[in-house]
Amino acid sequence: MAWKSYLMHECIKPLFLIVGVLLISVSPLFMSVEGFVWPGLEKIAGIFGQLMSPESLVYIHPESGEERSLFPVIFKAFASSVTVLGTALVVSLSLALLGTLMLWRAPKRIYQLSLSFTSILQSIPDVVFVVASQMFLVWLYVETGTTFIKLAGAGEGEAVLAPALVLSILPTIYFFQSMLSLVEEEKEKPYYEMAVSKGLPKTFILLTHIMRNMLVRLSYQAKFLISIMVSNLLIVEYLFENFGMASFLLTYSQPPVFFVTALLFFGPVYLVLKIVELTLYFFTRQEVSL
């Protein structure tokens, strides 16, 4: 009975996502410079009619006014955003793990200073890191005359590594600060003292026990972390002139196009969160709602 209730609850959740995206998509129809307006049933029915045949959807270029087919162009934008997001996530997690391992045997004072420094960095607005890092890359190019990584481009030649590195800055700080705090908490638990008393190497304890518990606890923050990265993705794509999903959503806001694009973008994000949720349940046997 509990499983039936759980499955029904989980099946309803995507419907709320779809309805929410739909309401946001059609909301411009109800707005004008004069305030709230009723667009009429004909317009609303027209939107739903277009959604019934998504393969025929077109988006209008804001400058040229030219109509272009949404598919398969939208898949290129999707691939661009997923590549940048995925690379940024791998880079940030790897750098934070490496930093934690390096500080594992550091003196207590250095460990605490690192923890305090990352806490200060977290208080700086996201946009400052994004803009400052791109300005640094441009300055480096002006001073050296060499581009170590591609800074901008379009189509097949658009930048990937540079926007991914910029996007990874804030998650790296968040991961690093969280890992340092969680390691300190884990060291206070009885199993750590017991493992040390048995003569197990501290590095072995970190890699086999503390790291596992730490990563599980970090997974609980998956929704928060992804929301930060997605919100910064728009700025990154704009600065590096990438043709990605975030910039596509902002540029082409026709209701049917916005609905399909947003669903294609946030649907996989929701699926990833569900996979993390089920994985956590498998390992901890505790129900988690991400």
Side-chain angles (χ1 to χ4, degrees):
M1 195 68 180
W3 273 105
K4 287 183 180 180
S5 176
Y6 175 78
L7 288 174
M8 185 178 295
H9 184 65
E10 291 303 312
C11 289
I12 291 174
K13 281 184 179 180
L15 294 178
F16 283 113
L17 174 66
I18 294 171
V19 172
V21 171
L22 181 61
L23 291 176
I24 295 172
S25 302
V26 300
S27 61
L29 296 177
F30 297 85
M31 300 176 190
S32 72
V33 291
E34 299 173 356
F36 180 84
V37 294
W38 173 249
L41 291 176
E42 188 177 342
K43 271 192 176 182
I44 297 174
I47 298 297
F48 282 98
Q50 292 179 64
L51 292 176
M52 292 299 102
S53 53
E55 70 281 353
S56 62
L57 286 176
V58 295
Y59 65 93
I60 303 171
H61 196 278
E63 294 179 3
S64 65
E66 180 186 355
E67 289 189 356
R68 300 172 184 173
S69 179
L70 182 63
F71 296 99
V73 173
I74 192 63
F75 294 126
K76 295 179 180 178
F78 178 78
S80 173
S81 292
V82 169
T83 302
V84 172
L85 274 172
T87 306
L89 189 60
V90 171
V91 168
S92 58
L93 186 58
S94 301
L95 289 177
L97 280 171
L98 181 62
T100 303
L101 289 170
M102 290 174 63
L103 286 175
W104 172 244
R105 289 186 171 276
K108 184 77 171 179
R109 185 180 178 184
I110 295 177
Y111 195 94
Q112 292 299 329
L113 281 173
S114 300
L115 195 58
S116 301
F117 182 65
T118 52
S119 297
I120 293 171
L121 289 178
Q122 274 191 315
S123 65
I124 300 175
D126 308 1
V127 68
V128 174
F129 288 110
V130 175
V131 175
S133 56
Q134 208 217 20
M135 289 176 65
F136 172 74
L137 291 174
V138 173
W139 172 83
L140 197 62
Y141 168 71
V142 171
E143 290 296 318
T144 62
T146 306
T147 52
F148 298 98
I149 51 178
K150 193 172 182 61
L151 299 181
E156 297 294 331
E158 71 177 15
V160 174
L161 185 57
L165 290 176
V166 172
L167 188 62
S168 70
I169 293 174
L170 199 66
T172 300
I173 295 170
Y174 174 78
F175 271 136
F176 189 45
Q177 198 270 342
S178 299
M179 286 180 181
L180 293 179
S181 300
L182 290 173
V183 165
E184 282 292 285
E185 291 180 21
E186 291 294 321
K187 287 169 69 174
E188 300 297 324
K189 294 184 177 179
Y191 79 86
Y192 177 77
E193 295 295 335
M194 184 181 296
V196 172
S197 65
K198 288 183 177 180
L200 294 176
K202 290 187 176 182
T203 304
F204 175 81
I205 299 171
L206 173 67
L207 295 175
T208 57
H209 297 288
I210 294 180
M211 197 68 71
R212 180 189 60 194
N213 297 340
M214 180 180 66
L215 290 175
V216 169
R217 293 177 66 182
L218 273 177
S219 300
Y220 286 91
Q221 306 298 323
K223 182 187 288 184
F224 170 73
L225 183 64
I226 290 177
S227 66
I228 289 177
M229 297 184 74
V230 169
S231 63
N232 287 331
L233 183 63
L234 174 61
I235 306 171
V236 169
E237 288 182 350
Y238 176 78
L239 290 176
F240 288 94
E241 300 177 5
N242 276 27
F243 183 66
M245 296 292 279
S247 58
F248 196 95
L249 280 170
L250 184 67
T251 307
Y252 309 107
S253 56
Q254 298 99 322
V257 173
F258 186 93
F259 175 77
V260 173
T261 307
L263 210 57
L264 183 61
F265 187 39
F266 293 107
V269 171
Y270 175 81
L271 185 60
V272 168
L273 290 174
K274 283 291 120 184
I275 292 172
V276 172
E277 185 177 305
L278 291 173
T279 304
L280 287 175
Y281 178 77
F282 178 78
F283 284 106
T284 66
R285 295 300 174 187
Q286 295 179 5
E287 288 191 16
V288 183
S289 181
L290 295 180

PDB file of all heavy atoms in Angstrom, residues 32-45:
ATOM      1  N   SER A  32       0.054  43.259 -20.695  1.00  0.00           N
ATOM      2  CA  SER A  32       0.295  44.334 -21.657  1.00  0.00           C
ATOM      3  C   SER A  32       0.787  45.542 -20.882  1.00  0.00           C
ATOM      4  O   SER A  32       0.870  45.516 -19.652  1.00  0.00           O
ATOM      5  CB  SER A  32      -0.991  44.674 -22.421  1.00  0.00           C
ATOM      6  OG  SER A  32      -1.910  45.343 -21.579  1.00  0.00           O
ATOM      7  N   VAL A  33       1.101  46.624 -21.584  1.00  0.00           N
ATOM      8  CA  VAL A  33       1.574  47.841 -20.920  1.00  0.00           C
ATOM      9  C   VAL A  33       0.487  48.433 -20.029  1.00  0.00           C
ATOM     10  O   VAL A  33       0.769  49.206 -19.113  1.00  0.00           O
ATOM     11  CB  VAL A  33       2.036  48.881 -21.965  1.00  0.00           C
ATOM     12  CG1 VAL A  33       3.300  48.411 -22.651  1.00  0.00           C
ATOM     13  CG2 VAL A  33       0.939  49.161 -22.980  1.00  0.00           C
ATOM     14  N   GLU A  34      -0.760  48.069 -20.316  1.00  0.00           N
ATOM     15  CA  GLU A  34      -1.875  48.598 -19.525  1.00  0.00           C
ATOM     16  C   GLU A  34      -2.209  47.723 -18.321  1.00  0.00           C
ATOM     17  O   GLU A  34      -3.054  48.076 -17.512  1.00  0.00           O
ATOM     18  CB  GLU A  34      -3.110  48.729 -20.421  1.00  0.00           C
ATOM     19  CG  GLU A  34      -2.901  49.675 -21.592  1.00  0.00           C
ATOM     20  CD  GLU A  34      -4.068  49.657 -22.558  1.00  0.00           C
ATOM     21  OE1 GLU A  34      -5.001  48.838 -22.338  1.00  0.00           O
ATOM     22  OE2 GLU A  34      -4.064  50.451 -23.511  1.00  0.00           O
ATOM     23  N   GLY A  35      -1.559  46.564 -18.229  1.00  0.00           N
ATOM     24  CA  GLY A  35      -1.818  45.654 -17.115  1.00  0.00           C
ATOM     25  C   GLY A  35      -2.357  44.322 -17.593  1.00  0.00           C
ATOM     26  O   GLY A  35      -2.033  43.860 -18.695  1.00  0.00           O
ATOM     27  N   PHE A  36      -3.204  43.708 -16.779  1.00  0.00           N
ATOM     28  CA  PHE A  36      -3.771  42.398 -17.098  1.00  0.00           C
ATOM     29  C   PHE A  36      -4.809  42.513 -18.206  1.00  0.00           C
ATOM     30  O   PHE A  36      -5.660  43.403 -18.178  1.00  0.00           O
ATOM     31  CB  PHE A  36      -4.404  41.785 -15.851  1.00  0.00           C
ATOM     32  CG  PHE A  36      -5.020  40.431 -16.087  1.00  0.00           C
ATOM     33  CD1 PHE A  36      -4.236  39.288 -16.052  1.00  0.00           C
ATOM     34  CD2 PHE A  36      -6.374  40.304 -16.355  1.00  0.00           C
ATOM     35  CE1 PHE A  36      -4.786  38.038 -16.273  1.00  0.00           C
ATOM     36  CE2 PHE A  36      -6.948  39.061 -16.578  1.00  0.00           C
ATOM     37  CZ  PHE A  36      -6.152  37.924 -16.541  1.00  0.00           C
ATOM     38  N   VAL A  37      -4.717  41.611 -19.188  1.00  0.00           N
ATOM     39  CA  VAL A  37      -5.693  41.591 -20.284  1.00  0.00           C
ATOM     40  C   VAL A  37      -6.135  40.155 -20.540  1.00  0.00           C
ATOM     41  O   VAL A  37      -5.402  39.213 -20.253  1.00  0.00           O
ATOM     42  CB  VAL A  37      -5.105  42.180 -21.597  1.00  0.00           C
ATOM     43  CG1 VAL A  37      -4.820  43.652 -21.444  1.00  0.00           C
ATOM     44  CG2 VAL A  37      -3.857  41.415 -22.029  1.00  0.00           C
ATOM     45  N   TRP A  38      -7.327  40.000 -21.057  1.00  0.00           N
ATOM     46  CA  TRP A  38      -7.821  38.678 -21.439  1.00  0.00           C
ATOM     47  C   TRP A  38      -7.578  38.478 -22.932  1.00  0.00           C
ATOM     48  O   TRP A  38      -8.135  39.189 -23.765  1.00  0.00           O
ATOM     49  CB  TRP A  38      -9.305  38.553 -21.104  1.00  0.00           C
ATOM     50  CG  TRP A  38      -9.925  37.287 -21.608  1.00  0.00           C
ATOM     51  CD1 TRP A  38     -10.847  37.176 -22.612  1.00  0.00           C
ATOM     52  CD2 TRP A  38      -9.671  35.956 -21.163  1.00  0.00           C
ATOM     53  NE1 TRP A  38     -11.178  35.866 -22.811  1.00  0.00           N
ATOM     54  CE2 TRP A  38     -10.466  35.076 -21.936  1.00  0.00           C
ATOM     55  CE3 TRP A  38      -8.834  35.408 -20.182  1.00  0.00           C
ATOM     56  CZ2 TRP A  38     -10.462  33.701 -21.757  1.00  0.00           C
ATOM     57  CZ3 TRP A  38      -8.823  34.028 -20.004  1.00  0.00           C
ATOM     58  CH2 TRP A  38      -9.633  33.197 -20.779  1.00  0.00           C
ATOM     59  N   PRO A  39      -6.712  37.519 -23.317  1.00  0.00           N
ATOM     60  CA  PRO A  39      -6.350  37.373 -24.725  1.00  0.00           C
ATOM     61  C   PRO A  39      -7.451  36.788 -25.596  1.00  0.00           C
ATOM     62  O   PRO A  39      -7.411  36.917 -26.828  1.00  0.00           O
ATOM     63  CB  PRO A  39      -5.150  36.416 -24.678  1.00  0.00           C
ATOM     64  CG  PRO A  39      -5.376  35.620 -23.434  1.00  0.00           C
ATOM     65  CD  PRO A  39      -6.035  36.544 -22.456  1.00  0.00           C
ATOM     66  N   GLY A  40      -8.403  36.124 -24.956  1.00  0.00           N
ATOM     67  CA  GLY A  40      -9.471  35.500 -25.734  1.00  0.00           C
ATOM     68  C   GLY A  40      -9.218  34.008 -25.907  1.00  0.00           C
ATOM     69  O   GLY A  40      -8.065  33.565 -25.977  1.00  0.00           O
ATOM     70  N   LEU A  41     -10.294  33.259 -25.982  1.00  0.00           N
ATOM     71  CA  LEU A  41     -10.176  31.801 -26.100  1.00  0.00           C
ATOM     72  C   LEU A  41      -9.520  31.377 -27.404  1.00  0.00           C
ATOM     73  O   LEU A  41      -8.858  30.335 -27.468  1.00  0.00           O
ATOM     74  CB  LEU A  41     -11.573  31.167 -25.991  1.00  0.00           C
ATOM     75  CG  LEU A  41     -12.242  31.240 -24.614  1.00  0.00           C
ATOM     76  CD1 LEU A  41     -13.658  30.671 -24.685  1.00  0.00           C
ATOM     77  CD2 LEU A  41     -11.422  30.486 -23.571  1.00  0.00           C
ATOM     78  N   GLU A  42      -9.690  32.190 -28.447  1.00  0.00           N
ATOM     79  CA  GLU A  42      -9.118  31.830 -29.747  1.00  0.00           C
ATOM     80  C   GLU A  42      -7.598  31.776 -29.695  1.00  0.00           C
ATOM     81  O   GLU A  42      -6.975  30.848 -30.227  1.00  0.00           O
ATOM     82  CB  GLU A  42      -9.577  32.845 -30.800  1.00  0.00           C
ATOM     83  CG  GLU A  42      -9.182  32.441 -32.220  1.00  0.00           C
ATOM     84  CD  GLU A  42      -9.700  33.419 -33.256  1.00  0.00           C
ATOM     85  OE1 GLU A  42     -10.624  34.194 -32.933  1.00  0.00           O
ATOM     86  OE2 GLU A  42      -9.175  33.389 -34.383  1.00  0.00           O
ATOM     87  N   LYS A  43      -6.991  32.758 -29.035  1.00  0.00           N
ATOM     88  CA  LYS A  43      -5.531  32.783 -28.911  1.00  0.00           C
ATOM     89  C   LYS A  43      -5.032  31.620 -28.066  1.00  0.00           C
ATOM     90  O   LYS A  43      -4.034  30.971 -28.394  1.00  0.00           O
ATOM     91  CB  LYS A  43      -5.071  34.109 -28.288  1.00  0.00           C
ATOM     92  CG  LYS A  43      -4.814  35.209 -29.287  1.00  0.00           C
ATOM     93  CD  LYS A  43      -4.085  36.368 -28.627  1.00  0.00           C
ATOM     94  CE  LYS A  43      -3.740  37.438 -29.661  1.00  0.00           C
ATOM     95  NZ  LYS A  43      -2.995  38.553 -29.041  1.00  0.00           N
ATOM     96  N   ILE A  44      -5.723  31.376 -26.938  1.00  0.00           N
ATOM     97  CA  ILE A  44      -5.312  30.285 -26.043  1.00  0.00           C
ATOM     98  C   ILE A  44      -5.442  28.944 -26.760  1.00  0.00           C
ATOM     99  O   ILE A  44      -4.553  28.087 -26.687  1.00  0.00           O
ATOM    100  CB  ILE A  44      -6.162  30.292 -24.762  1.00  0.00           C
ATOM    101  CG1 ILE A  44      -5.933  31.602 -23.991  1.00  0.00           C
ATOM    102  CG2 ILE A  44      -5.820  29.094 -23.885  1.00  0.00           C
ATOM    103  CD1 ILE A  44      -6.817  31.780 -22.783  1.00  0.00           C
ATOM    104  N   ALA A  45      -6.544  28.755 -27.480  1.00  0.00           N
ATOM    105  CA  ALA A  45      -6.744  27.519 -28.237  1.00  0.00           C
ATOM    106  C   ALA A  45      -5.681  27.373 -29.319  1.00  0.00           C
ATOM    107  O   ALA A  45      -5.230  26.255 -29.624  1.00  0.00           O
ATOM    108  CB  ALA A  45      -8.138  27.505 -28.856  1.00  0.00           C
TER     109      ALA A  45
END
